[in-house]
């Protein structure tokens, strides 16, 4: 039977009534489910609840049919592998010993734990550093080891909270390969990130997180089609305009859907960019802006995020 | 799920971390050895320091019983270290300046002539005006010596006088010279205070001191350490029941205490401790008592945990509490030496009782039954209650973290 994660009306409220997660419902089956949002959007809180670390204030979460916070909560946790944002590593133990430790927590015998630890070190590319103390690992190595820890119990559901934060591009690619492999193995992967490109590269389904709610969800193609049926004319000026709102208004020409001004960068949304672009250039020069570069871009998930939430993935609200 | 795996993981990890962490190694293996070697070596020293005594002889009279004879006799006992002065003032200046020597003997004019001829002879003892225990002890030593000397003088004078006394008066004169015929006889006892006993006492005390420090520190800091290292999140998302985590840490604590205990006992051997009656029964009873000590201190540590916000803070708090308890709880310093109200506190303090019971068996050769009589059921119940309340506190903290993580 396929393992599914079901979240029904999950909420997390802190004293004072602040809702970190507010009435979230979703069903996640096989594939990579990416929760996209900046810091504070509620994605890590939601994943902490799904991982069984944080108790919801309201709602219900089941994993493979078992209520995570009910009497069979420990049974439900057998199906979960969790890589938290802060690596759960003991710095005085080696990478291998850390993995064996977590394998024993998952109920493996000592022999099985040792075998599994070797396998996973190979998988995440740390076999050569297996016997080095984790305190001597780089940030990237710690991240990879944390992913290995999430996999140590051979879980049906893998929860990865910002696994690629701080990784260099090569390490990120390697990590993505591992995540894709998890999908191919038929697991449910829940991944939180604030990188739009990561979501675009990996996601079977994207959940746009904003202020504790899932503001939109769907495949990457569905979200783009729904929220950004227009292309983006990206104009980079030499300097930021003194009055962004006025600059924005001056570019709201016929055929222009929207304009976002972020410092010296203007994003002009238009259905027919080839027609609109010369007019935009003309208007900018007329407004007194010195243009350094103009490019026509296909919309990205970042644009989708902005269209849905009115803020960027860095958490900034911008003009427009 | 079976708890064997998580418990094994915590204990194995704890041991490996211990071996690699120099600070923990110091406190668990080196510190007890140093403490036993230094303290045991000092207290169990078979040649205690002689008491420094200043001597100024102003007497120019002569006689067979003179100041030289007295000071030579003092030196021969090995109990005194004599320093001669040229003037009374210089001796008093030294005593007044820093209490070294703490005592001075002044032989005034006519001492030899009077003492040798049966006349009262004056002698003045000066002591530094501080109420330190050691000065009291030194003064008692000196006065005791002079008292013995006085008896000898009286008997010598009596021996001169007796031939001239009427027969009916001899007994009376003898009684006058030595009215109390006091003698000291040694009685063999299993609890003799020998060097070996003192060394053993220190070593076993150190086992309990280590139980105090280790239990309090691990109990107070374990949840904070797991939270700070991120391990708590991984544990909460795993199928490990909270009691298995606690059991793992409790067992790790016991292993640490056992290692520290072995180090203390080995250090005791180095300074001449003799451990009596190490029979299987006594070893088993000792193990039970050490486990009880560990449960009690771990329980106390768990109760302290909510008062701290970080592992460092928890360790600081645990040490701040353990340190005075080590001295005032009747573990390191015997309860009878403590002032009230600490003596009463030590009487009821479980670690003091367990420590005494352990020493009774291992140092003084008592039986497990005798030791058990020092650990009545109410004490065992109290220890288990402290651990149980500590466990509840731990679970409540864990629940709070699950609410707020």
């Amino acid at each position: 039977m396929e393992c599914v994660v079901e979240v029904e009306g999950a909420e997390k409220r802190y004293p004072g009534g602040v809702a970190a997660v507010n009435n979230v419902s979703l069903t996640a089956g096989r594939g990579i489910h990416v929760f996209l949002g900046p810091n504070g959007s509620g994605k890590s809180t939601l994943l902490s609840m799904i991982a069984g670390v944080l108790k919801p204030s309201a709602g219900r979460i089941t994993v493979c049919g078992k209520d995570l916070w009910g009497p069979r909560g420990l049974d439900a946790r057998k199906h979960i592998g969790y890589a938290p944002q802060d690596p759960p590593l003991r710095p005085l133990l080696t990478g291998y010993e850390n993995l064996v430790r977590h394998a024993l927590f998952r109920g493996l015998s000592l022999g099985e734990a040792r075998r599994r630890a070797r396998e996973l070190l190979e998988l995440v590319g740390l076999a050569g550093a297996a016997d080095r103390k984790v305190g001597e690992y780089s940030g990237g190595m710690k991240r990879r080891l944390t992913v290995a820890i999430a996999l140590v119990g051979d879980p049906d559901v893998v929860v990865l909270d910002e696994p690629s934060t701080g990784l260099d591009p090569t390490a990120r690619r390697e990590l993505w390969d591992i995540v894709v492999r998890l999908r191919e193995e038929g697991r449910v992967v829940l991944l939180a990130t604030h990188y739009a490109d990561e979501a675009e590269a990996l996601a079977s389904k994207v959940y746009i997180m904003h202020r504790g709610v899932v503001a939109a969800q769907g495949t990457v193609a569905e979200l783009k089609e729904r929220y950004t049926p227009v292309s983006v004319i990206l104009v980079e000026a030499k300097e930021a305009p003194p009055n962004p709102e006025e600059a924005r208004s001056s570019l709201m020409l016929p055929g222009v859907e929207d304009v976002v001004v972020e410092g010296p960068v203007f994003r002009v949304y238009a259905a027919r960019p080839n027609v609109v672009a010369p007019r935009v250039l003309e208007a900018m020069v007329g407004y007194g802006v010195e243009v350094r570069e103009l490019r026509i871009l296909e919309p990205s998930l970042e644009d989708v995020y902005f269209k849905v939430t009115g803020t960027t993935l860095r958490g900034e609200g911008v003009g427009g | 799920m079976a708890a064997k795996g998580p418990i094994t993981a915590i204990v194995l990890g704890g041991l490996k971390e211990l071996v690699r962490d120099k600070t923990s190694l110091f406190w668990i293996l080196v510190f007890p050895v140093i403490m036993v070697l230094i303290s045991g070596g000092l207290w169990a020293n078979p040649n205690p320091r002689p008491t420094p005594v200043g001597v100024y002889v102003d007497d120019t009279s002569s006689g067979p019983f003179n100041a030289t004879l007295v000071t030579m006799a003092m030196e021969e006992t090995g109990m005194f270290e004599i320093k001669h002065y040229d003037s009374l003032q210089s001796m008093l200046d030294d005593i007044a300046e820093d209490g070294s020597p703490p005592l001075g003997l002044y032989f005034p004019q006519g001492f030899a002539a009077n003492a040798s001829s049966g006349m009262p002879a004056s002698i003045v003892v000066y002591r530094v005006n501080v109420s330190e225990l050691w000065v009291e002890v030194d003064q008692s030593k000196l006065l005791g010596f002079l008292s013995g000397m006085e008896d000898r003088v009286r008997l010598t004078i009596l021996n001169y006088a007796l031939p001239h006394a009427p027969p009916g008066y001899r007994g009376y004169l003898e009684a006058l010279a030595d009215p109390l015929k006091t003698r000291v006889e040694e009685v063999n006892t299993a609890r003799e205070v020998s060097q070996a006993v003192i060394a053993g006492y220190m070593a076993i005390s150190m086992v309990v001191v280590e139980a105090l420090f280790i239990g309090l520190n691990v109990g107070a800091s374990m949840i904070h350490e797991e939270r700070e290292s991120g391990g708590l999140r991984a544990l909460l998302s795993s199928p490990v029941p909270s009691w298995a985590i606690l059991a793992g840490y409790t067992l790790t604590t016991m292993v640490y205490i056992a290692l520290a205990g072995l180090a203390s006992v080995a250090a005791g051997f180095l300074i001449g401790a003799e451990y009596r009656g190490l029979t299987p029964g006594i070893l088993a009873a000792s193990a039970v008592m050490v486990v009880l000590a560990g449960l009690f201190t771990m329980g106390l540590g768990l109760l302290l945990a909510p008062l701290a916000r970080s592992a460092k803070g928890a360790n600081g708090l645990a040490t701040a509490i353990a340190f005075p308890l080590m001295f005032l709880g009747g573990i390191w310093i015997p309860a009878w030496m403590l002032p009230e109200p600490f003596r009463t506190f030590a009487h009821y303090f479980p670690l003091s009782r367990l420590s005494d019971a352990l020493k009774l068996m291992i140092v003084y050769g008592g039986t497990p039954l005798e030791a058990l009589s020092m650990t009545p059921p109410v004490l065992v119940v109290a220890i288990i209650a402290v651990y149980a309340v500590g466990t509840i506190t731990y679970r409540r903290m864990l629940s709070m973290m699950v609410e707020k993580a």
Side-chain angles (χ1 to χ4, degrees):
Chain A
M1 197 178 97
E2 188 189 334
C3 182
V4 174
V5 174
E6 286 184 290
V7 179
E8 294 168 32
E11 282 186 21
K12 185 66 205 175
R13 287 184 187 278
Y14 290 110
V18 181
V21 169
N22 194 1
N23 195 23
V24 169
S25 297
L26 58 92
T27 301
R30 284 177 186 168
I32 302 170
H33 302 262
V34 175
F35 295 80
L36 182 66
N39 291 338
S41 60
K43 59 187 189 307
S44 288
T45 305
L46 179 61
L47 288 201
S48 292
M49 290 196 289
I50 294 173
V53 173
L54 187 62
K55 193 174 182 180
S57 311
R60 189 163 179 262
I61 299 171
T62 58
V63 174
C64 304
K66 293 164 192 162
D67 187 347
L68 194 56
W69 295 98
R72 292 175 66 204
L74 289 181
D75 276 347
R77 282 168 174 78
K78 285 181 188 169
H79 300 279
I80 302 170
Y82 175 45
Q85 217 168 329
D86 297 321
L89 305 171
R90 309 286 295 194
L92 290 173
L93 300 183
T94 65
Y96 168 74
E97 287 164 349
N98 265 286
L99 271 174
V100 170
R101 186 172 195 263
H102 282 274
L104 290 170
F105 285 147
R106 292 276 159 187
L108 273 67
S109 69
L110 194 57
E112 288 169 338
R114 286 174 173 157
R115 186 187 49 76
R116 184 78 179 136
R118 293 280 174 215
E119 266 175 31
L120 287 169
L121 284 165
E122 202 69 53
L123 176 77
V124 297
L126 289 173
D131 298 322
R132 270 170 57 192
K133 280 186 219 162
V134 161
E136 298 164 7
Y137 276 23
S138 68
M141 292 163 87
K142 285 180 185 170
R143 288 259 166 223
R144 279 187 279 163
L145 189 61
T146 304
V147 172
I149 283 171
L151 302 178
V152 81
D154 195 17
D156 297 306
V157 178
V158 183
V159 181
L160 305 172
D161 193 357
E162 305 208 17
S164 64
T165 300
L167 295 187
D168 60 52
T170 314
R172 257 179 110 203
R173 288 276 167 196
E174 286 168 1
L175 182 82
W176 289 1
D177 290 344
I178 295 168
V179 177
V180 168
R181 201 158 143 182
L182 297 177
R183 182 189 65 200
E184 285 165 359
E185 287 169 358
R187 301 180 207 261
V188 182
V189 180
L190 306 173
L191 184 148
T193 186
H194 55 259
Y195 296 125
D197 62 334
E198 187 162 271
E200 215 154 337
L202 297 174
S204 313
K205 190 170 181 181
V206 177
Y207 300 82
I208 303 276
M209 295 295 297
H210 180 60
R211 292 182 183 163
V213 299
V214 177
Q217 56 181 294
T219 64
V220 174
E222 282 167 359
L223 287 171
K224 281 185 178 175
E225 195 179 321
R226 202 181 313 153
Y227 295 102
T228 54
V230 292
S231 297
V232 179
I233 303 165
L234 188 82
V235 187
E236 197 181 330
K238 194 174 178 187
E239 285 173 354
N243 186 339
E245 192 50 42
E246 195 183 284
R248 177 179 175 272
S249 301
S250 70
L251 294 177
M252 290 300 292
L253 306 165
V256 171
E257 302 273 332
D258 199 0
V259 178
V260 176
V261 183
E262 283 181 282
V265 177
F266 295 70
R267 287 170 177 270
V268 181
Y269 295 85
R272 298 168 63 200
N274 293 335
V275 176
V276 172
R279 290 186 208 150
V280 168
L281 192 59
E282 197 178 325
M284 290 188 83
V285 171
Y287 184 69
V289 173
E290 197 177 331
V291 175
R292 290 174 67 172
E293 190 182 0
L294 184 146
R295 276 182 292 155
I296 296 173
L297 303 175
E298 284 303 307
S300 70
L301 260 184
E302 193 153 4
D303 299 310
V304 172
Y305 190 87
F306 178 78
K307 286 296 285 183
V308 173
T309 67
T311 60
T312 68
L313 280 169
R314 289 175 294 285
E316 300 153 342
V318 291
Chain B
M1 68 172 285
K4 193 178 142 202
I7 293 173
T8 309
I10 292 170
V11 176
L12 277 182
L15 278 174
K16 282 178 179 165
E17 284 176 327
L18 171 67
V19 172
R20 290 166 196 171
D21 179 18
K22 289 187 178 72
T23 309
S24 303
L25 262 186
F26 173 82
W27 287 111
I28 290 178
L29 292 179
V30 182
F31 175 71
V33 171
I34 290 175
M35 281 293 280
V36 172
L37 289 184
I38 293 177
S39 307
L42 281 176
W43 289 91
N45 185 355
N47 300 309
R49 99 194 202 293
T51 298
V53 178
V55 171
Y56 170 60
V57 182
D58 193 25
D59 184 26
T60 51
S61 67
S62 60
F65 194 82
N66 52 39
T68 310
L69 182 79
V70 175
T71 51
M72 278 175 63
M74 284 172 71
E75 279 180 320
E76 274 176 18
T77 62
M79 295 194 300
F80 302 100
E81 188 181 282
I82 305 295
K83 184 180 178 187
H84 290 277
Y85 285 89
D86 296 333
S87 72
L88 176 62
Q89 193 53 50
S90 60
M91 182 174 82
L92 294 178
D93 286 347
D94 268 9
I95 294 173
E97 192 181 345
D98 59 356
S100 179
L103 299 166
L105 260 186
Y106 169 51
F107 292 89
Q109 274 295 349
F111 173 80
N114 289 340
S116 304
S117 61
M119 300 294 283
S122 293
I123 190 165
V124 183
V125 174
Y126 292 94
R127 61 158 281 179
V128 63
N129 185 20
V130 291
S131 56
E132 285 174 13
L133 179 66
W134 288 114
V135 178
E136 302 293 340
V137 171
D138 286 345
Q139 180 184 310
S140 299
K141 269 167 72 178
L142 182 57
L143 292 180
F145 172 83
L146 291 175
S147 174
M149 203 79 192
E150 200 175 23
D151 289 347
R152 285 190 174 198
V153 171
R154 270 198 296 263
L155 289 171
T156 307
I157 294 168
L158 184 67
N159 284 336
Y160 283 122
L162 276 182
H164 308 289
Y169 284 90
R170 288 183 185 176
Y172 173 72
L173 286 173
E174 275 178 0
L176 205 62
D178 192 12
L180 290 176
K181 288 198 173 296
T182 311
R183 67 166 193 261
V184 176
E185 289 199 7
E186 290 187 351
V187 180
N188 288 333
T189 168
R191 297 186 193 181
E192 67 188 282
V193 181
S194 65
Q195 182 191 356
V197 166
I198 295 173
Y201 183 98
M202 289 295 170
I204 301 304
S205 293
M206 199 62 224
V207 176
V208 182
V209 166
E210 280 291 321
L212 174 67
F213 275 85
I214 294 169
L216 272 181
N217 272 285
V218 174
S221 66
M222 56 176 270
I223 197 163
H224 296 289
E225 227 164 59
E226 283 291 1
R227 182 174 51 82
E228 286 165 19
S229 71
L232 192 63
R233 293 178 77 84
L235 280 172
L236 290 172
S237 76
S238 72
V240 182
S242 61
W243 67 262
I245 303 171
L246 191 58
Y249 273 101
T250 305
L251 198 57
T252 306
T253 302
M254 298 304 166
V255 173
Y256 286 172
I257 294 172
L259 290 173
L262 288 174
S264 305
V265 168
F269 271 122
L270 291 177
I271 54 166
E274 280 176 20
Y275 304 113
R276 300 173 186 217
L278 287 181
T279 61
I282 286 178
L283 286 175
S286 302
V288 169
M289 282 171 196
V290 170
V291 166
L292 284 174
L295 286 180
F296 176 70
T297 56
M298 178 107 186
L300 278 185
L302 291 170
L303 289 172
L304 290 179
L307 304 177
R309 289 183 179 177
S310 65
K312 248 186 179 175
N315 284 133
L317 183 64
T319 305
I321 287 172
F323 207 71
L325 281 178
M326 166 184 170
F327 292 104
L328 302 175
I331 307 167
W332 188 246
I333 295 172
W336 61 265
M337 283 181 77
L338 296 171
E340 283 294 354
F342 300 113
R343 198 182 311 155
T344 306
F345 169 72
H347 178 73
Y348 293 105
F349 188 47
L351 287 189
S352 167
R353 303 292 288 268
L354 291 169
S355 170
D356 288 346
L358 280 169
K359 286 168 201 158
L360 177 68
M361 286 187 297
I362 299 171
V363 181
Y364 301 117
T367 64
L369 269 180
E370 282 177 300
L372 280 175
S373 69
M374 296 175 76
T375 50
V378 65
L379 184 81
V380 177
V381 170
I383 288 171
I384 291 169
V386 167
Y387 183 73
V389 176
T391 306
I392 293 164
T393 308
Y394 169 79
R395 289 176 72 107
R396 286 190 66 173
M397 270 190 91
L398 215 54
S399 300
M400 281 169 66
M401 286 179 177
V402 165
E403 298 285 344
K404 293 179 185 170

